[in-house]
Amino acid sequence: MTDKASSSGFLPVLRKRRDSAWNGIDSERVLQVLVRNLDGMVFRCSIDHQWTMHFVSDGCRELTGYCPDELEYNKVCSLEALTHPDDRARVREAIVAAMAGSGRYRQQYRICPRQGGEKWVLERGAVVLDEKGGRVLEGFIEDVTEQVVGERQLADAELRYRSIFEDSVVGMFQTSVDGHYLAANRALAALYGYENPSALIAGLSDIATSLYVAPGRRDEFKTLMREHGRVTDFESEVYRRDGSRIWISEHAHVVYSPDGEALYYEGTVEDVTAQHNYRRQLEYQATHDPLTGLPNRNLLQDRLQQVLRMAQRRATQGSLAFVDLDNFKFVNDSLGHGAGDRLLVEVARRLKECLRDSDTVARYGGDEFVLILGDYGGLSDTLHILHRVQDAVSAPMMLDGHEVHVNCSLGVSVFPDDGVDLEVLLRHADAAMHHAKKLGKGQFQFYTESLNVEARDRLALDSALRRAVEQDELYVVYQPKVKANGRTCGFEALVRWDSSEFGAVSPVRFIPLAEENGLIGQLTWFVMREACRQAAGWRAAGYSNLRVAVNISPSLFREKDLAALVRSVLEEAGLPPENLELEITEGMLMGDVQRALTVLKELKAMGVYIAIDDFGTGYSSLAYLKRFPIDILKVDRSFVIECDASNEGLAITRAIVTLAHSLNLHVVAEGVEKQTQLAVLNALGCHEFQGYLFAKPLPVEALGEYLTQHARD
């Protein structure tokens, strides 16, 4: 072993005077002050069994309880004796290793001071040569007890936390703000069906799409975190690794950096599937009839409010029908209550089969049922359903070997004309039902003459519309579509009708009528020809990038030669396909999917743009949207109106825009009326906007001036 040592120690070196640094400075005084005031002990000692001290600074008093005279040359105590017995060998091994290496060492160990107990010290030193050429140690020893104790307490705390985290029977996690797991414990991994936390972290790389069943649920979680800094009892349905579903409850909070930045979320997860199912069962029992399984009076009120809101959005009507079985008492009395119950169950089944998915049938009590019918198909559709109900109920049924016939009397009230709450509508429908019974059972009556009047008006309007198509009373107006900077990028073509008999007729009235009487095809082709002719004129005037949008009727969409008809209109107008945008409703995609896909592919192959109008009201799924060659989503005005008024409205709009972005679709917001709405929609990432905030639909004669002001680059 080769010993290494410096040629001289620090004490002689400090006493040397260097002209460059020490000129004019009392180096002896500096050295004395420095050594005397250091918070620790400066020393030189022999490399012997007791580490015999040659020099010790005054700092030894505070550190060891001994004065320098007592430690120098081991007069009272040696450095070896001061060192804790359990640490002496380790310290000596470190110094021996330093002697064989660089000559420098650093060791942390315990000493036993005069006053008792023990202290942790840090010794830093070097093997050097003294003035006579002998090897000695020179160094500095300082008290690090507080630091060591603090580090150990922290380590103990971290160990306890890790033990709690890893061994807890409750699922625990840390997730990044952008949605992936940073840490998870074994309980959470087991809860989600993973072998260990590492497998969970790797398998759930995107919490928003991989964990939550409901789209947008992670966004709701983040919104609560952003607004309140925590979530409590946040219940969600989630997927386990094998695809099964469970319900969980999350309690979590945001962990912030010292400067207030959100670093990550941490919290706990519990499986509440059993509690959720039990609660759902209680809710079902509270809202459904135990005999028939139909909604009861409690749920009826909620269903009616939903339909009323939808009718208000669509500016349509709906009906509430009170159904009373005419011969039920006879069956109940003659065949018994058991047979009567089976009859009610069968009638409930038949009523459900008669109604559309959007309608509601509820058991009101006894042999009375209530139907809520949305007016989505018009008056003729509502009448058709009522007749179908009569036929279904009156069909014979077998009960205990007996063929039984029952009829029903129906009273109908119309909302909002006859009322906008359940009590009023039921009272009116009940009165109409009793009137029907007086006139002879097995028929229906309306509470007022409103539908009869509407039927007569409808007939007159039908005739007038046919004449309007023949006599060119229809015309097209154009509503601008603009970018966020206000620059016009296109128009939507809208048909209008000024009747010589009825005056200005709203499209809300005559478009559904045209759908019912078969005129919608003629209307659509009229609008498309006019729109394409105008768009060709815009191109000729130098506005080559403007597109015109035309709505395509669902009935027209089912025509097998739709693409050929569109091509002929474009060729007739001399308009390139890329200047035409066809708007369809998302409901068109939900019927014959294969047929819709074929038609859209044919249109897309031509080069026209495809837009889904009124998106968000048709309940189409992501799976459907991904299959179709769609270019544009138009956010329905009902969501635009609410986007700056409520968190719910904003959440829906944000979800639609996010969905569109994820599918690389262009987003158009329609019905923008306020600057606040524009600001919100622009921030969410909408690309284009239309609405009264920018301009009302413009007649042809106003287009030239408008384009000059708003479409020039």
Side-chain angles (χ1 to χ4, degrees):
M1 180 173 66
T2 303
D3 293 344
K4 294 184 179 180
S6 302
S7 59
S8 59
F10 71 86
L11 293 176
V13 170
L14 285 175
R15 293 188 176 96
K16 290 182 179 179
R17 184 185 302 273
R18 290 186 299 141
D19 293 340
S20 60
W22 291 94
N23 188 27
I25 296 177
D26 186 350
S27 59
E28 196 71 36
R29 188 188 67 81
V30 170
L31 175 63
Q32 292 176 1
V33 171
L34 177 64
V35 171
R36 184 169 56 250
N37 290 288
L38 280 174
D39 191 11
M41 183 175 81
V42 178
F43 71 91
R44 174 190 280 184
C45 71
S46 298
I47 305 174
D48 58 16
H49 184 67
Q50 293 295 325
W51 307 113
T52 301
M53 294 287 189
H54 299 172
F55 168 81
V56 182
S57 69
D58 289 342
C60 66
R61 301 175 188 272
E62 180 67 24
L63 184 66
T64 68
Y66 296 96
C67 62
D69 290 342
E70 292 176 310
L71 293 178
E72 289 176 351
Y73 300 102
N74 306 334
K75 293 177 183 175
V76 175
C77 184
S78 69
L79 183 55
E80 178 75 4
L82 278 171
T83 303
H84 194 285
D86 295 341
D87 295 343
R88 291 170 185 169
R90 175 170 56 83
V91 173
R92 189 170 294 275
E93 289 174 2
I95 295 174
V96 170
M99 292 169 59
S102 65
R104 297 183 176 278
Y105 65 92
R106 175 190 177 97
Q107 275 293 298
Q108 188 171 281
Y109 59 93
R110 292 166 292 175
I111 64 171
C112 301
R114 170 179 276 179
Q115 57 268 35
E118 61 184 42
K119 290 182 180 179
W120 280 93
V121 297
L122 174 62
E123 179 178 331
R124 286 167 290 184
V127 180
V128 300
L129 299 178
D130 63 10
E131 295 80 357
K132 299 179 181 180
R135 290 178 305 165
V136 294
L137 297 182
E138 289 183 352
F140 179 69
I141 303 175
E142 62 179 318
D143 187 347
V144 292
T145 303
E146 185 175 341
Q147 175 184 338
V148 171
V149 171
E151 290 174 351
R152 293 200 170 189
Q153 288 176 343
L154 179 60
D156 290 343
E158 290 179 350
L159 184 62
R160 288 195 300 272
Y161 172 77
R162 178 56 55 186
S163 176
I164 293 172
F165 185 84
E166 294 291 345
D167 300 328
S168 173
V169 296
V170 175
M172 303 178 73
F173 68 87
Q174 290 179 342
T175 65
S176 66
V177 175
D178 63 358
H180 61 272
Y181 280 97
L182 303 173
N185 68 351
R186 288 189 290 269
L188 188 64
L191 179 64
Y192 290 159
Y194 291 85
E195 297 84 3
N196 51 59
S198 298
L200 182 150
I201 293 171
L204 291 177
S205 57
D206 185 352
I207 297 173
T209 58
S210 303
L211 181 64
Y212 293 105
V213 173
R217 191 59 174 158
R218 175 70 177 182
D219 290 334
E220 296 175 29
F221 182 96
K222 291 171 63 177
T223 297
L224 291 173
M225 284 294 196
R226 189 165 52 251
E227 294 176 352
H228 306 292
R230 63 178 55 251
V231 297
T232 304
D233 294 323
F234 188 78
E235 287 196 10
S236 310
E237 190 177 18
V238 299
Y239 293 108
R240 300 183 80 243
R241 186 180 189 180
D242 60 4
S244 60
R245 301 180 182 185
I246 60 173
W247 282 87
I248 62 168
S249 177
E250 295 177 88
H251 302 260
H253 63 272
V254 183
V255 177
Y256 295 98
S257 67
D259 59 0
E261 178 187 1
L263 298 177
Y264 54 88
Y265 306 144
E266 68 177 16
T268 62
V269 177
E270 295 180 77
D271 184 347
V272 294
T273 305
Q275 299 94 306
H276 178 83
N277 291 341
Y278 180 71
R279 188 166 62 249
R280 287 283 298 273
Q281 182 181 359
L282 292 179
E283 292 172 356
Y284 183 87
Q285 293 173 352
T287 56
H288 288 77
D289 172 51
L291 176 64
T292 63
L294 296 177
N296 60 17
R297 298 187 189 188
N298 296 329
L299 186 55
L300 188 63
Q301 174 69 50
D302 181 68
R303 294 286 179 85
L304 178 62
Q305 290 301 319
Q306 293 180 32
V307 178
L308 283 171
R309 285 194 293 268
M310 184 64 71
Q312 185 178 19
R313 280 183 180 176
R314 297 173 178 262
T316 59
Q317 294 178 313
S319 304
L320 183 145
F322 199 99
V323 182
D324 184 84
L325 302 183
D326 292 331
N327 303 321
F328 178 75
K329 188 175 186 303
F330 171 78
V331 174
N332 217 28
D333 292 344
S334 59
L335 299 180
H337 292 288
D341 286 347
R342 289 191 291 278
L343 183 147
L344 292 173
V345 171
E346 175 62 17
V347 169
R349 185 190 66 79
R350 295 182 182 185
L351 290 175
K352 288 173 63 178
E353 289 185 349
C354 291
L355 270 57
R356 302 160 296 192
D357 291 339
S358 56
D359 298 328
T360 295
V361 54
R363 186 183 179 197
Y364 193 68
D367 61 343
E368 297 172 334
F369 297 85
V370 174
L371 313 179
I372 299 177
L373 310 175
D375 189 28
Y376 310 130
L379 172 61
S380 60
D381 216 11
T382 300
L383 295 176
H384 177 69
I385 292 174
L386 295 176
H387 285 299
R388 192 163 60 191
V389 166
Q390 287 182 308
D391 294 339
V393 173
S394 62
M397 67 182 73
M398 296 300 296
L399 291 174
D400 297 339
H402 300 277
E403 185 176 271
V404 176
H405 296 264
V406 293
N407 294 319
C408 65
S409 298
L410 297 92
V412 184
S413 56
V414 178
F415 52 84
D417 295 1
D418 297 336
V420 291
D421 64 72
L422 182 62
E423 182 180 354
V424 173
L425 290 169
L426 280 173
R427 186 170 66 249
H428 290 169
D430 182 63
M433 183 271 295
H434 283 90
H435 182 58
K437 282 184 176 290
K438 291 179 182 178
L439 295 177
K441 299 178 180 180
Q443 59 178 291
F444 60 82
Q445 289 290 316
F446 288 91
Y447 173 70
T448 69
E449 289 295 312
S450 60
L451 286 184
N452 293 331
V453 171
E454 182 180 340
R456 291 194 294 269
D457 289 344
R458 177 186 176 280
L459 182 60
L461 196 65
D462 182 276
S463 300
L465 181 58
R466 293 180 187 276
R467 290 194 300 271
V469 173
E470 297 171 359
Q471 300 173 7
D472 295 329
E473 290 184 2
L474 301 171
Y475 61 98
V476 179
V477 295
Y478 300 86
Q479 183 165 39
K481 293 196 294 183
V482 304
K483 297 182 179 179
N485 61 7
R487 185 66 60 192
T488 299
C489 53
F491 294 89
E492 181 178 2
L494 303 167
V495 64
R496 293 292 184 264
W497 178 23
D498 287 341
S499 169
S500 57
E501 180 180 355
F502 294 95
V505 183
S506 169
V508 174
R509 292 185 65 192
F510 73 83
I511 293 296
L513 179 59
E515 290 276 7
E516 292 180 20
N517 62 20
L519 291 174
I520 192 63
Q522 291 175 261
L523 289 183
T524 301
W525 294 119
F526 165 76
V527 173
M528 187 175 294
R529 288 189 179 93
E530 288 293 307
C532 290
R533 187 172 60 83
Q534 286 294 330
W538 300 335
R539 283 185 62 88
Y543 305 102
S544 59
N545 293 326
L546 293 180
R547 289 204 302 266
V548 65
V550 178
N551 291 279
I552 298 296
S553 162
S555 58
L556 196 65
F557 189 76
R558 290 189 287 268
E559 292 188 10
K560 63 180 179 180
D561 56 349
L562 177 60
L565 291 171
V566 172
R567 183 181 292 107
S568 67
V569 172
L570 289 170
E571 291 173 353
E572 177 187 328
L575 182 69
E578 59 267 23
N579 289 106
L580 177 62
E581 180 179 315
L582 299 179
E583 294 187 2
I584 63 176
T585 60
E586 56 183 315
M588 295 185 195
L589 310 179
M590 306 296 286
D592 187 346
V593 175
Q594 192 56 48
R595 170 62 188 155
L597 186 58
T598 300
V599 173
L600 287 178
K601 285 183 176 179
E602 291 174 351
L603 292 169
K604 198 74 187 80
M606 292 170 50
V608 301
Y609 286 82
I610 307 297
I612 295 184
D613 195 17
D614 299 332
F615 185 77
T617 62
Y619 310 105
S620 61
S621 68
L622 176 60
Y624 274 83
L625 291 180
K626 291 170 66 176
R627 295 183 59 182
F628 294 100
I630 306 298
D631 303 298
I632 301 162
L633 286 190
K634 296 190 71 175
V635 183
D636 184 69
R637 69 184 306 274
S638 61
F639 302 122
V640 170
I641 290 173
E642 298 177 359
C643 73
D644 66 337
S646 66
N647 288 335
E648 180 182 0
L650 177 59
I652 295 174
T653 307
R654 180 188 290 114
I656 293 174
V657 176
T658 301
L659 169 62
H661 288 172
S662 70
L663 297 175
N664 295 319
L665 300 180
H666 209 67
V667 185
V668 179
E670 55 185 356
V672 181
E673 298 179 356
K674 298 187 296 184
Q675 284 289 346
T676 52
Q677 295 168 354
L678 175 62
V680 170
L681 294 164
N682 188 36
L684 290 178
C686 289
H687 303 98
E688 296 176 14
F689 313 87
Q690 65 182 98
Y692 283 7
L693 177 63
F694 310 101
K696 294 183 178 181
L698 302 171
V700 171
E701 54 268 24
L703 288 176
E705 181 179 354
Y706 180 87
L707 287 172
T708 301
Q709 296 178 355
H710 299 278
R712 289 291 186 193
D713 292 329

